[in-house]
């Protein structure tokens, strides 16, 4: 997997969080073992938080949900079954990054990471990974998310 990075120093403040926006370029070969979709939250994590990863172009839209210290994959899109994971301590550390395994061409797209509770919902960031066939010429696509830099694994 390849990961190229450049920083854009933009400060964003919405509701109960404050983040810095960074730009990341991610290109991954089809068939790679995994890629890390970065999502870092540096604000105060609310009570009873839920982290949701979605893709709006899918039905159902849910890629991964973490709440109450465990994954809730009941509404997960079947295309992601057994292929997603988050750190066990994500809700304590604010590292909401998603590991996506067994990369497929159809995994290219816009992924949204959202933090919510009963009273608030905040889009923490968007990540746009591009999955290419290994024998294709490199194509670099920029992705944008709100959070600290993280990279491919």
């Amino acid at each position: 997997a390849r990961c190229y990075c450049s920083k854009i120093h933009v400060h964003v403040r919405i509701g109960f969080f404050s983040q810095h926006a960074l730009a990341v370029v991610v290109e991954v070969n089809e068939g790679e073992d995994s890629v890390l979709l970065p999502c870092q939250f540096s604000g105060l994590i609310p009570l009873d938080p839920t982290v949701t990863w979605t893709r709006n172009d899918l039905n159902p839209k849910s890629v991964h949900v973490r709440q109450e210290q465990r994954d809730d994959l009941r509404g997960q899109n079947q295309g992601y079954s057994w292929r997603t994971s988050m750190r066990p301590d994500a809700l304590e550390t604010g590292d909401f990054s998603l590991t996506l395994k067994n990369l497929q061409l159809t995994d290219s797209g816009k992924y949204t990471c959202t933090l919510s509770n009963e009273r608030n919902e905040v889009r923490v960031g968007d990540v746009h990974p591009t999955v290419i066939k290994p024998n294709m010429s490199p194509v670099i696509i920029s992705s944008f998310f709100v959070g600290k830099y993280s990279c491919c694994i």
Side-chain angles (χ1 to χ4, degrees):
R2 296 181 195 139
C3 195
Y4 305 93
C5 311
S6 61
K7 295 181 180 180
I8 300 173
H9 297 284
V10 177
H11 190 74
V12 179
R13 181 179 285 285
I14 301 174
F16 58 83
F17 82 100
S18 177
Q19 296 287 108
H20 292 277
L22 303 177
V24 175
V25 176
V26 178
E27 179 186 278
V28 183
N29 286 328
E30 180 184 30
E32 287 284 338
D33 289 338
S34 64
V35 67
L36 187 69
L37 305 184
C39 183
Q40 299 272 339
F41 183 77
S42 61
L44 179 64
I45 296 176
L47 293 175
D48 303 319
T50 297
V51 175
T52 305
W53 280 91
T54 56
R55 268 188 62 184
N56 286 335
D57 61 328
L58 299 177
N59 186 16
K61 298 176 182 185
S62 178
V63 173
H64 195 95
V65 175
R66 167 68 60 84
Q67 62 185 15
E68 298 179 5
Q69 309 307 318
R70 63 178 183 224
D71 297 328
D72 180 0
L73 305 178
R74 290 174 290 184
Q76 183 183 46
N77 185 292
Q78 291 297 335
Y80 293 92
S81 292
W82 302 102
R83 298 197 310 123
T84 61
S85 64
M86 292 176 65
R87 294 173 48 113
D89 61 352
L91 295 175
E92 290 87 37
T93 64
D95 182 355
F96 304 150
S97 300
L98 181 72
T99 299
L100 181 57
K101 302 171 192 154
N102 304 319
L103 279 296
Q104 303 168 11
L105 291 175
T106 55
D107 292 331
S108 296
K110 177 183 171 185
Y111 293 74
T112 300
C113 174
T114 304
L115 174 64
S116 63
N117 66 4
E118 290 180 0
R119 299 185 330 181
N120 292 302
E121 181 175 301
V122 176
R123 189 180 84 213
V124 180
D126 296 324
V127 183
H128 301 259
T130 300
V131 181
I132 63 168
K133 287 190 175 285
N135 59 353
M136 289 180 59
S137 298
V139 177
I140 298 174
I141 303 293
S142 293
S143 60
F144 178 82
F145 71 97
V146 176
K148 295 179 185 174
Y149 166 73
S150 187
C151 201
C152 306
I153 58 171

